[in-house]
């Protein structure tokens, strides 16, 4: 049985591994982030354009008409700031780095425009890790002196370079560009990095923010700009372009648009719609437990695989559907790993336990049974197996006990090593005969063989019990025939012929395994096994033979089962050692050999 503690241990281990590995193993973390990106890009719920942020862009067409392309024409920017101020914007953010001088008069004009503006104007600075020369840094510092500013550095994932998080404060405490704009608008900003909550537009073709070319600002209706924060930046191919979840098709997102997303998130007080870690952990534990339960159900491999993949597909589809309806975004890798891990871990445990059970059973039976019987034993293990070993049970079976006549003569004729080889050859043949008749060899006692027919799977009908008895008797007859061929071969080797005595009895038994881990045997307890051994010994007193080299003596219950199916002669009622009542016994005759040979006829 799979204990509750084991199940809990598997669930806990798989859950911890799923949560940990999907965060620590780069390919798994990258896969999780890629799923988020695709979900955000294609399944985000449409939203109206943001009413507090507007993008003012400097595109290729505009630069074609400006006197100075890089650095950007400072005179044009001064005019643009003035136009935005007159349009009644709430604040202006210039996502343009002023790290190089142009014409001094235009530079000074822009600086004065920024300083004297009646609305807050924020410029961008660069953190220490930005590749600028010392001269560029000095000029940037002088230009921004007295002007509010924030850093425009973007946090990129080290695995794939995608922008997914925002750092509101640099290492030196400098606020970010959108954080500084939000501050000036009266919005508090967090100190810790946060995941960006990417906005969707009202349609796949529409941007989440109104976007106006900078040269069109003077012609725009005032109400299109009034009361909004205008974020100004370039939208040139290959310039300030970055990979984001919005650009999963290989395109890129302008830096100014990324800043606008962060600004809108800060203004709205929104957080990323990813479910909290606690809820994710709960989902992981639930799916891990469900995977374990599915594995314990014992489905066929194909059904287990189909169920596992079906639930996995449904899980991902449900996650996408939830996000598409405006719900939280559920990371899929950890729950998926928990689901598959729960199935795999418990399946592996059950497989290992099954192999251990099979190994224990095969240690008891498989070396001396036919393959069909071994498979039947394994398939029916639930009926007689407990704790990895056969449980004690009462059953009715037929016991066969055989011994070699003349073995002492062989021992005297052979040295120890040849003797062992001789005995191994004999036992190998006899074991093969027992297995061919669906019997189980339980043990060897020197040259003697103890076998049983009808165990360890208890028979439930008299017909099954009689069939076992018939198989035991026919097995004994075949053992005698095999011995004829063995004797012929041994005589050519100069060895004396031998015979065998077989005692067979059918009756009730107590069967089970005895011993521990180091040594365990399947044992038969009760009068039936003892009677079979007594009948074999009684064969010494029977003058006649079943075949030239074999005597088969069986008890009355066995004879009742085979009467009319084999030939036999009554020997009479005899008193067996340890039994109060006399036992009626029969000598089985082999139809394939001479009729009931006497000792002299058999060569004795």
């Amino acid at each position: 049985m799979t204990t509750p503690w084991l199940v809990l241990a598997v669930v806990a281990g798989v859950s911890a591994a799923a949560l940990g590995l999907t965060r620590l193993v780069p390919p798994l973390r990258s896969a999780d982030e890629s799923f988020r990106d695709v979900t955000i890009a294609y399944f985000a719920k449409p939203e109206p354009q943001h009413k507090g942020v507007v993008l003012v862009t400097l595109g290729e067409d505009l630069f074609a008409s400006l006197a100075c392309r890089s650095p950007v024409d400072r005179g044009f920017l001064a005019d643009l700031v003035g136009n935005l101020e007159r349009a009644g914007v709430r604040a202006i953010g210039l996502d343009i780095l002023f790290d190089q001088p142009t014409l001094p008069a235009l530079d000074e004009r822009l600086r004065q425009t920024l300083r004297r503006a009646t609305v807050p104007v924020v410029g961008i600075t660069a953190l220490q890790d930005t590749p600028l020369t010392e001269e560029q840094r000095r000029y940037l510092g002088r230009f921004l002196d007295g002007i509010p500013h924030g850093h425009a550095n973007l946090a990129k994932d080290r695995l794939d370079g995608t922008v997914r998080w925002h750092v509101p404060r640099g290492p030196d405490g400098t606020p970010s560009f959108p954080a500084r704009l939000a501050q000036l608008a009266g919005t508090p900003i967090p100190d810790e990095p946060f995941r960006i909550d990417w906005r969707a537009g009202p349609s796949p073709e529409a941007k989440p923010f109104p976007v106006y070319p900078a040269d069109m600002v003077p012609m725009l209706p005032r109400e299109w700009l009034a009361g909004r924060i205008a974020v100004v930046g370039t939208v040139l191919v290959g310039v300030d372009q970055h990979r984001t979840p919005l650009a999963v098709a290989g395109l890129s997102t302008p830096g100014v648009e990324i800043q606008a997303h962060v600004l809108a998130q800060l203004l709205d007080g929104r957080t990323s719609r990813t479910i909290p870690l606690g809820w994710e952990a709960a989902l992981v534990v639930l799916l891990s437990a469900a995977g374990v339960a599915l594995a314990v159900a014992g489905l066929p491999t194909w059904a287990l695989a189909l169920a596992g993949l079906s639930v996995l597909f449904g899980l991902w589809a449900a996650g996408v559907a939830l996000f598409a309806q405006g719900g939280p975004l559920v990371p899929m890798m950890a729950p998926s790993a928990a689901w598959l891990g729960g199935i795999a871990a418990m399946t592996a445990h059950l497989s290992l336990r099954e192999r251990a059970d099979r190994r224990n059973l095969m240690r008891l039976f498989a070396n001396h049974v036919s393959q069909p019987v071994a498979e039947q034993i394994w398939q029916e293990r639930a009926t007689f197996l407990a704790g990895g070993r056969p449980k004690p049970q009462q059953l009715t079976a037929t016991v066969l006990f055989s011994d070699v006549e003349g073995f002492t003569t062989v021992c005297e004729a052979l040295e120890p090593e040849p003797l062992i080889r001789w005995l191994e050859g004999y036992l190998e043949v006899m074991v093969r005969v027992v297995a061919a008749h669906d019997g189980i060899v339980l043990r060897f006692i020197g040259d003697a063989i103890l076998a049983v027919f009808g165990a360890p799977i208890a028979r439930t009908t008299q017909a099954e019990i009689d069939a076992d008895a018939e198989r035991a008797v026919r097995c004994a007859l075949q053992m005698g025939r095999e011995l004829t061929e063995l004797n012929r071969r041994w005589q050519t080797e100069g060895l004396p012929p031998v015979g065998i005595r077989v005692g067979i009895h059918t009756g009730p038994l107590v069967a089970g395994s005895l011993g521990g881990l180091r040594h365990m045997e399947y044992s038969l307890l009760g009068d039936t096994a003892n009677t079979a051994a007594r009948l074999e010994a009684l064969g010494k007193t029977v003058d006649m033979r079943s075949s030239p080299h074999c005597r088969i003596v069986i008890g009355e219950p066995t004879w009742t089962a085979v009467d009319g199916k084999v030939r036999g002669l009554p020997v009479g009622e005899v008193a067996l050692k340890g039994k109060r009542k006399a036992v009626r016994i029969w000598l089985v005759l082999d139809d394939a050999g001479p009729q009931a040979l006497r000792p002299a006829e058999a060569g004795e």
Side-chain angles (χ1 to χ4, degrees):
M1 294 287 292
T2 300
T3 65
W5 287 112
L6 175 64
V7 171
L8 289 175
V10 172
V11 170
V14 169
S15 300
L19 286 169
L21 293 178
T22 52
R23 283 163 170 76
L24 298 176
V25 178
L28 294 179
R29 187 167 71 84
S30 181
D32 210 3
E33 294 290 2
S34 296
F35 168 76
R36 293 172 188 254
D37 294 349
V38 171
T39 306
I40 291 170
Y42 293 110
F43 300 102
K45 186 177 181 180
E47 300 179 69
Q49 287 186 323
H50 197 276
K51 295 182 179 181
V53 179
V54 60
L55 286 180
V56 178
T57 60
L58 287 72
E60 194 65 48
D61 292 339
L62 172 63
F63 278 107
S65 65
L66 295 179
C68 185
R69 178 184 182 94
S70 180
V72 182
D73 189 320
R74 302 288 163 80
F76 175 81
L77 290 177
D79 292 338
L80 176 61
V81 170
N83 289 328
L84 290 172
E85 185 180 3
R86 286 187 291 275
V89 297
R90 184 180 181 187
I92 302 170
L94 296 177
D95 187 21
I96 299 170
L97 193 65
F98 302 112
D99 60 338
Q100 298 179 50
T102 63
L103 295 175
L106 294 180
D107 291 346
E108 185 59 25
R109 178 187 168 199
L110 177 59
R111 287 186 73 251
Q112 293 304 322
T113 301
L114 299 182
R115 284 184 170 191
R116 296 170 182 172
T118 58
V119 298
V121 179
V122 176
I124 61 171
T125 185
L127 298 177
Q128 287 301 316
D129 57 353
T130 305
L132 294 179
T133 66
E134 287 302 318
E135 180 58 35
Q136 286 176 307
R137 289 190 182 279
R138 283 194 294 268
Y139 182 84
L140 178 61
R142 289 195 301 268
F143 191 92
L144 294 177
D145 184 30
I147 300 173
H149 54 269
H151 75 82
N153 296 61
L154 300 175
K156 296 185 177 181
D157 195 307
R158 294 182 179 180
L159 291 179
D160 58 9
T162 300
V163 178
R164 300 186 178 96
W165 290 75
H166 183 74
V167 181
R169 293 189 185 275
D172 58 357
T174 303
S176 68
F177 173 63
R180 190 73 171 114
L181 279 168
Q183 272 185 330
L184 294 176
T187 301
I189 63 171
D191 293 324
E192 299 299 323
F194 55 86
R195 188 181 285 273
I196 300 173
D197 183 39
W198 303 98
R199 295 181 61 87
S203 68
E205 299 78 20
K207 293 286 186 181
F209 311 97
V211 180
Y212 305 121
D215 54 340
M216 296 295 294
V217 168
M219 294 173 280
L220 297 176
R222 177 182 173 85
E223 60 270 19
W224 288 15
L225 297 171
R228 303 188 184 201
I229 297 178
V231 182
V232 181
T234 60
V235 287
L236 300 174
V237 176
V239 178
D240 195 21
Q241 300 279 323
H242 308 273
R243 179 171 177 170
T244 68
L246 305 178
V248 294
L251 303 175
S252 55
T253 304
V256 65
E257 186 176 338
I258 297 173
Q259 307 291 5
H261 276 276
V262 176
L263 175 60
Q265 182 175 349
L266 290 171
L267 293 175
D268 296 342
R270 293 177 23 157
T271 58
S272 172
R273 286 187 290 162
T274 301
I275 63 171
L277 178 60
W279 284 103
E280 182 184 358
L283 179 61
V284 164
V285 172
L286 177 63
L287 285 169
S288 175
V292 168
L294 181 64
V296 172
L299 298 176
T301 302
W302 67 268
L304 184 64
L306 181 60
L309 293 176
S310 298
V311 170
L312 189 64
F313 177 80
L315 177 67
W316 285 58
V320 170
L322 177 64
F323 184 75
Q325 294 300 314
L329 195 155
V330 181
M332 284 293 117
M333 288 306 299
S336 300
W339 167 250
L340 296 178
I343 296 174
M346 184 52 67
T347 299
H349 164 72
L350 295 176
S351 177
L352 291 174
R353 190 184 71 179
E354 181 176 301
R355 288 175 61 183
D357 290 346
R358 182 185 284 269
R359 187 166 57 249
N360 287 338
L361 285 180
M362 296 304 103
R363 188 186 306 153
L364 293 172
F365 304 118
N367 291 336
H368 311 310
V369 299
S370 64
Q371 187 62 31
V373 171
E375 289 301 324
Q376 184 185 15
I377 289 174
W378 179 246
Q379 291 171 5
E380 299 292 334
R381 64 190 182 279
T383 63
F384 66 89
L385 200 64
R389 58 190 293 171
K391 59 187 178 184
Q393 60 176 335
Q394 282 192 322
L395 46 79
T396 300
T398 298
V399 179
L400 180 152
F401 193 89
S402 72
D403 200 5
V404 176
E405 298 175 339
F407 184 61
T408 302
T409 305
V410 176
C411 290
E412 293 172 349
L414 295 174
E415 294 296 323
E417 188 172 341
L419 174 63
I420 293 298
R421 287 200 302 270
W422 178 90
L423 184 58
E424 285 179 343
Y426 163 75
L427 292 176
E428 181 181 358
V429 172
M430 296 306 161
V431 167
R432 187 167 62 246
V433 172
V434 174
H437 289 80
D438 294 342
I440 299 174
V441 175
L442 296 182
R443 69 181 59 90
F444 303 125
I445 309 170
D447 59 298
I449 299 173
L450 174 65
V452 63
F453 298 76
I457 302 172
R459 310 310 189 194
T460 57
T461 66
Q462 188 61 44
E464 292 175 335
I465 295 172
D466 292 348
D468 288 329
E470 183 180 353
R471 280 192 287 270
V473 171
R474 296 197 181 280
C475 173
L477 291 170
Q478 185 61 34
M479 291 169 70
R481 295 166 191 161
E482 294 288 342
L483 193 58
T484 298
E485 179 59 31
L486 285 175
N487 276 326
R488 187 178 297 116
R489 190 177 72 199
W490 290 335
Q491 284 178 324
T492 62
E493 298 173 0
L495 295 173
V498 299
I500 59 172
R501 297 185 303 274
V502 181
I504 301 175
H505 195 65
T506 303
L509 290 165
V510 173
S513 60
L514 297 177
L517 293 176
R518 295 183 178 274
H519 180 76
M520 185 167 59
E521 290 186 353
Y522 188 75
S523 299
L524 304 176
L525 305 176
D527 185 60
T528 298
N530 295 332
T531 300
R534 301 281 187 272
L535 292 176
E536 177 275 318
L538 185 67
K540 299 176 182 179
T541 65
V542 179
D543 290 338
M544 304 181 76
R545 287 179 171 271
S546 302
S547 61
H549 302 284
C550 181
R551 289 189 181 92
I552 305 172
V553 179
I554 66 176
E556 184 174 19
T558 307
W559 174 255
T560 301
V562 300
D563 189 12
K565 300 173 184 176
V566 298
R567 287 196 316 117
L569 294 175
V571 175
E573 292 189 359
V574 296
L576 298 179
K577 182 179 178 180
K579 297 184 73 67
R580 283 184 261 174
K581 291 185 178 181
V583 177
R584 290 171 59 95
I585 60 176
W586 274 259
L587 176 72
V588 176
L589 303 178
D590 188 356
D591 286 332
Q595 304 294 320
L597 298 179
R598 294 186 178 279
E601 296 172 298
E604 289 189 355

